[in-house]
């Protein structure tokens, strides 16, 4: 129960963290749950190649001309060079919504047979609207979808839609 609460609230950072949540967590800690252990195992223990992958995301990251979102794309070749599998790519979404002054972030991967797009909101912007426009899903803070297009074409239409949705807000 403790692990589920801590991970579902982003280590007690997400907007779904309430005073009630904190009271339940405190009660579970009183009963023996260890926050340090959960943080160490789930937030501070990554494979070396995962960290290298995160570095490539940051290296490739761009700030949109609006200044309201960032995006990063990784080619099939870059993913292959890094030797990452889909499970190694978990957690990368945390880099998309942390840039000061932005509303959201996008990460685009060329996985060979499809382009995978991950969206994360920094604040109140509803990224699920972008995902729904491409047949994907998710919720206000995190969403995603896949496309069967070449990487550059997928990047172009995703950025166009992101800018369009940004202008509707």
């Amino acid at each position: 129960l403790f692990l589920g609460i801590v991970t579902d609230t982003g280590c007690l950072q997400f907007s779904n963290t309430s005073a009630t949540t904190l009271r339940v967590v405190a009660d579970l800690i009183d009963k023996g749950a260890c926050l340090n252990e959960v943080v160490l195992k789930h937030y501070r223990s990554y494979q070396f190649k995962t960290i290298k992958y995160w570095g490539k995301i940051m290296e490739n990251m761009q700030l949109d001309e609006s200044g309201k979102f960032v995006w990063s794309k990784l080619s099939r070749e870059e993913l292959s060079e890094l030797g990452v599998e889909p499970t190694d790519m978990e957690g990368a979404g945390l880099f998309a919504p942390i840039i000061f002054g932005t509303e959201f972030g996008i990460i685009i991967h060329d996985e060979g047979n499809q382009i995978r797009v991950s969206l994360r909101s920094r604040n109140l912007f509803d990224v699920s609207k972008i995902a729904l426009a491409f047949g994907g899903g998710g919720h206000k803070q995190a969403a995603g979808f896949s496309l069967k297009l070449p990487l550059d074409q997928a990047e172009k239409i995703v950025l166009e839609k992101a800018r369009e949705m940004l202008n509707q807000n």
Side-chain angles (χ1 to χ4, degrees):
L1 180 59
F2 183 76
L3 174 63
I5 292 170
V6 172
T7 57
D8 283 355
T9 61
C11 206
L12 308 172
Q13 301 178 78
F14 297 160
S15 61
N16 62 344
T17 305
S18 66
T20 301
T21 307
L22 295 173
R23 282 190 285 278
V24 169
V25 165
D27 188 46
L28 291 169
I29 289 171
D30 286 343
K31 289 181 166 81
C34 181
L35 181 60
N36 187 50
E37 182 180 326
V38 170
V39 169
L40 184 62
K41 287 182 181 177
H42 294 278
Y43 293 97
R44 294 187 180 161
S45 296
Y46 296 98
Q47 297 294 323
F48 181 74
K49 64 184 174 178
T50 299
I51 302 302
K52 296 290 280 185
Y53 160 74
W54 289 357
K56 184 56 85 171
I57 285 175
M58 289 188 282
E59 179 183 327
N60 293 354
M61 191 172 284
Q62 298 180 56
L63 179 65
D64 185 64
E65 60 196 29
S66 68
K68 295 297 183 184
F69 71 92
V70 294
W71 81 94
S72 186
K73 71 174 180 175
L74 279 83
S75 69
R76 182 177 346 158
E77 294 76 23
E78 288 171 314
L79 292 172
S80 180
E81 285 173 18
L82 292 166
V84 292
E85 301 296 325
T87 55
D88 300 318
M89 294 187 266
E90 295 302 318
L94 71 95
F95 294 107
I98 64 170
I99 308 301
F100 181 79
T102 61
E103 297 291 327
F104 62 96
I106 304 168
I107 298 177
I108 306 169
H109 293 109
D110 183 347
E111 295 183 351
N113 61 345
Q114 69 179 352
I115 303 298
R116 189 173 68 143
V117 180
S118 177
L119 306 131
R120 296 294 183 272
S121 179
R122 176 177 166 81
N123 199 9
L124 302 175
F125 188 86
D126 186 351
V127 293
S128 71
K129 292 179 180 179
I130 298 171
L132 288 171
F134 293 102
H139 54 86
K140 188 174 184 172
Q141 299 287 138
F145 58 94
S146 297
L147 297 169
K148 297 255 186 218
L149 295 169
L151 180 60
D152 289 340
Q153 188 178 351
E155 176 187 31
K156 182 178 185 233
I157 67 168
V158 168
L159 295 180
E160 286 172 358
K161 182 56 74 175
R163 290 175 185 126
E164 176 188 323
M165 300 302 269
L166 186 62
N167 289 330
Q168 290 178 8
N169 270 353

